[in-house]
């Protein structure tokens, strides 16, 4: 029986439990919901207006744990038991992070370098999943306190480059915090949603999402077509952000008053205060021209120009990442329709300016950069709750997924109604000698010809080493993970080269559209079957023409004149029939060509074998 909740704050009935959207950030985390009355996404705020929870966990003497602003106060004074930036450790082994060992002021266990990292605080060990769950629990508690109702369902965002292990770790952290994580969403996708991008079915746009946070920089190029978000490329630097701005200010100031690193090491309180004041100065300079302050009797000042020259190199590094991302995406800068700004550090005017210059267009920063990801997560949560009927998000694949094979046929890898997650693979090969690349086109739908289905994505597997046709083995695998993300991977098994792409196949299709696609496939089933048979006959004919032509070219000197001319005539007539003939006519013509070539093919084969037996001509 369904339970009806009563919101004790407002007295109103609640039909359905709210699903919250969570931005679990490296530096700050926050929660948003769709307001039940206005239907607009809003950030949950305490009465004092505080919305952001610093992603910092402090372990106190008597086993107490605090999260957020309170914990942040201990960052410098109690570095060993104050954990920050735990997001960087999610799904990582010690080997993954050892190059950045000095970054972490707390103890990361290094005894087993392959397995997932653990953090030691006092005599206890914590996994990044556990630590993240403390942050999520704090967010959950706050949300419940503000909403006056239990919160058990959430959508959580992660960077677009997070791999499966990192996504799974985030999911686990949610579970540990008592949250049912309905979906993991890419941060740039959430940000786009908050900007209202991708919400219309007829829309097609290329977007750059520039996200400069406290400690990390991400740039993603997305393509949105008909509600499907495709990540074209990502780039960035996981050790570059607003914290670096703060540190250069501290360095600059301590230089001015001749404070040495050693003095700052010893005097933790002073360095803590300096750091906090540096952050204040930076924030102040985002809307003012100069800053003045005093710490422990020292006077400090900073002008906007001084600040900009201090951070110039950092900003330039982000632009270089943008350049790489654009290059990898395969689109040109002029094709990018929108540049949206995400993360607190994009408030710095120099950052905005340089990004606009690089992309050659006005940037879009109309949504609060601290809040934009969480707001988008709330929109996604609302779609999942079924409140936004324009979207269909299911846990089964509503339509078949496959790739295009010879002749424009649909080769289904994951049939419709497969349970998610789901995984399959199949081997393909090349059609031409020395073929160096293979186009993988991914389609969704029930029809036999891809042209009647819906194209989701396309990419080229390039760099296949030169080999005769039919020799390369290209394994194409499809994985639809629990978050509805389809990952298509193509790998040439002999050389090991590999390429992959991610798509969201369920995005943007309404119930009616799915229904129509299914109905069409039933209505056209008979036609489709005939078309498929014809296409297959044509494909076979083309392959035979190609193979025979090559055979004659290579072995001309072993063949008689009549053999060659008969074969050429048969090839010509097969080519003619190909154009207009029925499937049966094509099959007959194929047989005709085979009958002519079979005798000399067999003769040459026998000769080759007998030579081999005499040890004269060992093949290979
Ligand atoms: P993350 O995504 O890493 O959790 P945020 O997006 O919350 O991080 O960004 C936090 C960073 O933004 C901090 O370094 C903070 O100092 C910086 N920041 C916040 N407001 C401003 C501002 N007005 N001007 C410059 N930097 C700011
Ligand atoms: Mg962020």
């Amino acid at each position: 029986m369904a339970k009806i909740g009563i919101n004790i704050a407002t007295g109103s009935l609640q039909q359905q439990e709210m699903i919250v959207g969570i931005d679990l950030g490296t530096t700050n985390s926050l929660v948003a919901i769709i307001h039940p009355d206005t239907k607009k996404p809003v950030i949950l705020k305490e009465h004092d207006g505080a919305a952001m929870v610093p992603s910092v966990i402090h372990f106190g003497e008597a086993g107490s744990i605090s999260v957020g602003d309170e914990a942040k106060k201990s960052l410098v004074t109690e570095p060993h038991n104050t954990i920050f930036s735990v997001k960087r450790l999610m799904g990582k082994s010690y080997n993954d992070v050892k190059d950045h060992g000095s970054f972490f002021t707390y103890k990361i266990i290094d005894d087993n370098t392959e397995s997932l990292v653990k953090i030691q605080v006092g005599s206890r060990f914590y996994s990044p999943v556990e630590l993240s769950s403390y942050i999520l629990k704090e967010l959950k508690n706050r949300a419940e306190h503000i909403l006056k109702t239990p919160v058990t369902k959430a959508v959580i965002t992660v960077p677009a480059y997070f791999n499966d292990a990192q996504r799974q770790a985030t999911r686990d952290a949610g579970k540990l915090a008592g949250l049912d994580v309905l979906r993991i969403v890419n941060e740039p996708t959430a940000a786009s949603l908050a900007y209202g991008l991708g919400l219309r079915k007829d829309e097609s746009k290329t977007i750059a999402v520039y996200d400069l946070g406290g400690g990390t920089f991400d740039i993603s190029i997305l393509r949105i077509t008909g509600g499907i978000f495709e990540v074209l490329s990502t780039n960035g630097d996981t050790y570059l952000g607003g914290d670096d701005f703060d540190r250069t200010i501290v360095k600059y100031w301590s230089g001015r008053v001749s404070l040495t690193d050693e003095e700052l090491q010893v005097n933790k309180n002073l360095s803590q205060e300096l750091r906090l004041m540096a952050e204040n100065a930076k924030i102040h300079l985002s809307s003012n021209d100069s800053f003045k302050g005093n710490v422990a009797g020292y006077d400090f000042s900073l002008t906007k120009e001084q600040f900009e020259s201090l951070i110039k190199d950092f900003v330039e590094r982000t632009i270089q990442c943008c350049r790489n991302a654009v290059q990898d995406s395969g689109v040109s800068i002029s094709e990018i329709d929108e540049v949206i700004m995400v993360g607190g550090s994009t408030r710095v005017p120099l950052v905005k300016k340089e990004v606009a210059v690089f992309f050659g267009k006005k940037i879009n920063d109309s949504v609060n950069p601290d809040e934009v990801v969480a707001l988008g997560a709330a929109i996604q949560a609302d779609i999942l709750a079924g409140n936004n009927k324009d979207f269909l998000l299911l846990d089964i694949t509503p339509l078949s997924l496959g790739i295009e094979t010879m002749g424009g046929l649909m080769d289904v890898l994951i049939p419709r109604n497969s349970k998610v997650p789901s995984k399959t693979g199949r081997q393909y090969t090349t059609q031409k000698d020395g073929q160096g690349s293979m186009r993988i086109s991914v389609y969704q739908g029930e029809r036999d010809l891809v042209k009647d289905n819906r194209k989701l994505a396309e990419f080229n597997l390039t760099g296949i080493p030169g080999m005769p046709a039919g020799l390369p083995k290209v394994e194409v695998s499809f994985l639809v993970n629990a978050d509805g993300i389809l990952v298509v991977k193509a790998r040439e098994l002999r050389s090991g080269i590999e390429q992959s792409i991610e798509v969201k196949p369920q995005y943007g299709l309404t119930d009616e559209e799915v229904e129509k696609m299914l109905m069409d496939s039933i209505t056209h089933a008979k036609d489709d079957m005939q078309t498929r048979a014809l296409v297959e006959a044509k494909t076979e004919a083309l392959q035979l023409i190609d193979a025979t032509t090559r055979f004659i070219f290579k072995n001309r000197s072993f063949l008689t004149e009549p053999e060659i001319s008969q074969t050429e005539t048969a090839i010509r007539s097969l080519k003619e029939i190909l154009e207009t003939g029925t499937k049966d006519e094509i099959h007959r013509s194929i047989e005709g060509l085979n009958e002519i070539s079979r005798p000399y093919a067999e003769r040459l084969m026998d000769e080759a074998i007998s030579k081999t037996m005499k040890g004269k001509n060992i093949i290979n």
Side-chain angles (χ1 to χ4, degrees):
M1 212 183 74
K3 284 190 190 131
I4 297 175
I6 298 175
N7 184 325
I8 55 171
T10 62
S12 63
L13 288 184
Q14 240 166 294
Q15 300 299 341
Q16 168 183 31
E17 200 196 317
M18 198 152 296
I19 308 175
V20 298
I22 296 179
D23 172 8
L24 182 61
T26 311
T27 321
N28 297 302
S29 298
L30 52 173
V31 187
I33 58 158
I34 298 294
H35 196 281
D37 300 331
T38 65
K39 310 287 176 219
K40 293 236 157 42
V42 286
I43 297 289
L44 291 182
K45 289 184 180 153
E46 297 280 7
H47 288 306
D48 61 4
M52 285 203 288
V53 176
S55 306
V56 182
I57 308 135
H58 173 251
F59 293 87
E61 296 277 304
S64 65
I65 298 174
S66 67
V67 174
D69 286 311
E70 202 42 48
K72 198 177 170 183
K73 290 180 189 150
S74 322
L75 263 182
V76 177
T77 48
E78 293 178 56
H80 297 294
N81 46 8
T82 308
I83 315 296
F84 63 97
S85 279
V86 64
K87 187 174 178 180
R88 295 171 199 276
L89 300 173
M90 291 292 263
K92 296 275 173 112
S93 69
Y94 181 74
N95 267 345
D96 294 331
V97 295
K98 65 170 186 295
D99 291 345
H100 294 280
S102 62
F103 172 86
F104 301 96
T105 53
Y106 43 89
K107 190 162 165 55
I108 298 178
I109 300 303
D110 58 357
D111 55 355
N112 190 341
T113 53
E114 295 298 327
S115 62
L116 297 178
V117 291
K118 288 261 181 195
I119 291 110
Q120 183 173 7
V121 181
S123 57
R124 273 210 58 183
F125 299 92
Y126 299 90
S127 67
V129 169
E130 275 176 286
L131 294 168
S132 294
S133 83
Y134 291 132
I135 300 170
L136 288 169
K137 215 176 278 168
E138 171 72 18
L139 296 172
K140 175 174 142 75
N141 289 343
R142 281 188 180 218
E144 290 178 335
H145 182 240
I146 296 167
L147 293 170
K148 312 259 181 299
T149 166
V151 170
T152 61
K153 296 192 169 98
V155 164
I156 304 180
T157 59
V158 296
Y161 60 78
F162 254 30
N163 63 25
D164 275 351
Q166 293 169 300
R167 283 166 201 260
Q168 192 53 49
T170 307
R171 237 172 213 293
D172 293 346
K175 205 191 239 168
L176 214 54
L179 289 168
D180 183 7
V181 182
L182 299 183
R183 187 139 312 179
I184 298 287
V185 182
N186 287 335
E187 287 161 11
T189 301
S192 307
L193 284 172
Y195 269 96
L197 298 163
L199 287 169
R200 286 207 341 260
K201 263 169 262 140
D202 52 356
E203 181 179 69
S204 182
K205 273 206 164 129
T206 308
I207 305 175
V209 183
Y210 180 102
D211 181 348
L212 190 59
T216 57
F217 169 62
D218 300 317
I219 169 79
S220 315
I221 313 288
L222 306 181
R223 176 169 289 144
I224 306 179
T225 340
I228 300 175
F229 286 78
E230 185 188 344
V231 180
L232 297 180
S233 64
T234 61
N235 209 292
D237 189 329
T238 46
Y239 289 87
L240 174 60
D243 297 346
D244 293 299
F245 299 177
D246 305 346
R247 274 191 288 269
T248 52
I249 297 175
V250 170
K251 225 166 112 192
Y252 172 74
W253 278 344
S254 37
R256 295 238 115 178
V257 299
S258 311
L259 270 170
T260 62
D261 281 353
E262 289 76 46
E263 280 170 281
L264 284 173
Q265 281 287 329
V266 177
N267 194 343
K268 289 255 155 63
N269 284 327
L270 177 60
S271 70
Q272 164 85 324
E273 276 185 57
L274 263 179
R275 235 187 65 122
L276 290 177
M277 198 172 73
E279 186 175 6
N280 288 339
K282 171 186 78 176
I283 291 172
H284 183 80
L285 291 175
S286 286
S287 43
N288 298 278
D289 287 332
S290 65
F291 172 88
K292 275 191 174 38
N294 182 292
V295 167
Y298 296 107
D299 279 326
F300 295 107
S301 68
L302 193 66
T303 67
K304 195 170 160 190
E305 277 114 65
Q306 286 166 333
F307 173 60
E308 291 185 345
S309 80
L310 287 176
I311 62 164
K312 198 166 96 311
D313 289 349
F314 293 122
V315 179
E316 182 43 45
R317 262 164 67 194
T318 70
I319 298 298
Q320 186 53 45
C321 293
C322 293
R323 203 168 280 130
N324 296 340
V326 171
Q327 191 154 30
D328 292 347
S329 72
V331 300
S332 63
I333 287 195
S334 60
E335 286 171 89
I336 293 172
D337 303 303
E338 293 272 354
V339 180
I340 63 180
M341 302 297 262
V342 178
S345 300
T346 61
R347 287 229 174 77
V348 173
L350 180 72
V351 171
K352 292 192 205 199
K353 190 176 119 213
E354 294 300 321
V355 175
V357 167
F358 173 75
F359 284 101
K361 61 168 53 69
K362 261 181 102 152
I363 49 155
N364 198 339
D365 59 354
S366 53
V367 181
N368 183 331
D370 301 319
E371 301 181 347
V372 61
V373 170
L375 294 173
I379 295 172
Q380 178 78 35
D382 196 46
I383 294 168
L384 283 174
N387 297 334
N388 193 332
K389 289 278 183 251
D390 280 349
F391 289 85
L392 175 80
L393 296 145
L394 296 175
D395 284 334
I396 51 163
T397 56
L399 294 164
S400 301
L401 298 165
I403 66 168
E404 175 177 1
T405 53
M406 284 268 290
L409 287 177
M410 171 88 172
D411 197 19
V412 171
L413 278 102
I414 296 186
R416 73 182 209 88
N417 282 347
S418 297
K419 282 245 175 59
V420 167
S422 172
K423 191 179 179 190
T424 50
R426 199 167 292 166
Q427 278 185 18
Y428 299 89
T429 188
T430 50
Q431 290 153 27
K432 296 204 181 84
D433 286 341
Q435 186 176 329
S437 74
M438 198 163 176
R439 175 168 293 256
I440 312 286
S441 303
V442 184
Y443 285 85
Q444 175 178 45
E446 307 313 309
R447 302 288 299 275
D448 276 0
L449 292 179
V450 291
K451 73 171 175 51
D452 299 318
N453 290 331
R454 179 168 178 248
K455 189 183 206 164
L456 294 179
E458 187 168 73
F459 66 101
N460 278 318
L461 179 68
T462 54
I464 301 174
M467 277 185 255
L471 213 56
K473 282 191 188 153
V474 176
E475 164 103 12
V476 175
S477 64
F478 272 41
L479 167 75
V480 182
N481 67 23
D483 301 317
I485 301 161
L486 167 67
V487 181
V488 179
K489 206 181 262 175
R491 182 180 159 85
E492 203 287 300
L493 299 177
R494 293 176 195 277
S495 56
I497 57 152
E498 184 175 287
Q499 219 123 330
S500 68
I501 199 163
E502 265 188 21
V503 274
K504 297 230 169 74
Q506 286 148 16
Y507 232 99
L509 276 183
T510 63
D511 283 309
E512 291 83 70
E513 280 171 323
V514 170
E515 218 159 69
K516 180 169 182 311
M517 286 172 90
L518 292 178
M519 281 312 288
D520 281 352
S521 74
I522 296 164
T523 322
H524 296 285
K526 199 160 159 245
D527 294 349
D528 274 0
M529 232 157 69
Q530 281 163 358
T531 320
R532 176 177 280 270
L534 182 64
V535 170
E536 279 171 354
K538 283 187 177 177
T539 305
E540 191 185 336
L542 283 171
Q543 281 170 336
L544 181 65
I545 291 171
D546 192 24
T548 316
T549 312
R550 272 188 289 137
F551 187 85
I552 295 194
F553 179 74
K554 268 195 201 151
N555 300 290
R556 219 175 178 95
S557 54
F558 306 108
L559 301 174
T560 67
E561 253 333 293
E563 280 170 342
I564 293 173
S565 68
Q566 273 176 18
T567 308
E568 279 169 354
T569 313
I571 286 179
R572 223 171 300 130
S573 88
L574 177 55
K575 273 185 182 162
E576 265 164 34
I577 285 185
L578 248 187
E579 298 296 322
T580 52
T582 64
K583 152 194 131 227
D584 291 335
E585 285 166 343
I586 296 172
H587 275 304
R588 268 197 296 279
S589 189
I590 287 176
E591 212 19 62
L593 174 56
N594 269 331
E595 258 157 43
I596 293 166
S597 60
R598 198 174 295 126
Y600 60 69
E602 280 170 7
R603 189 182 75 227
L604 288 179
M605 191 88 84
D606 288 346
E607 277 173 23
I609 291 169
S610 67
K611 268 188 200 157
T612 315
M613 306 267 253
K614 284 179 203 139
K616 279 186 186 159
N617 183 7
I618 296 169
I619 300 166
N620 289 331

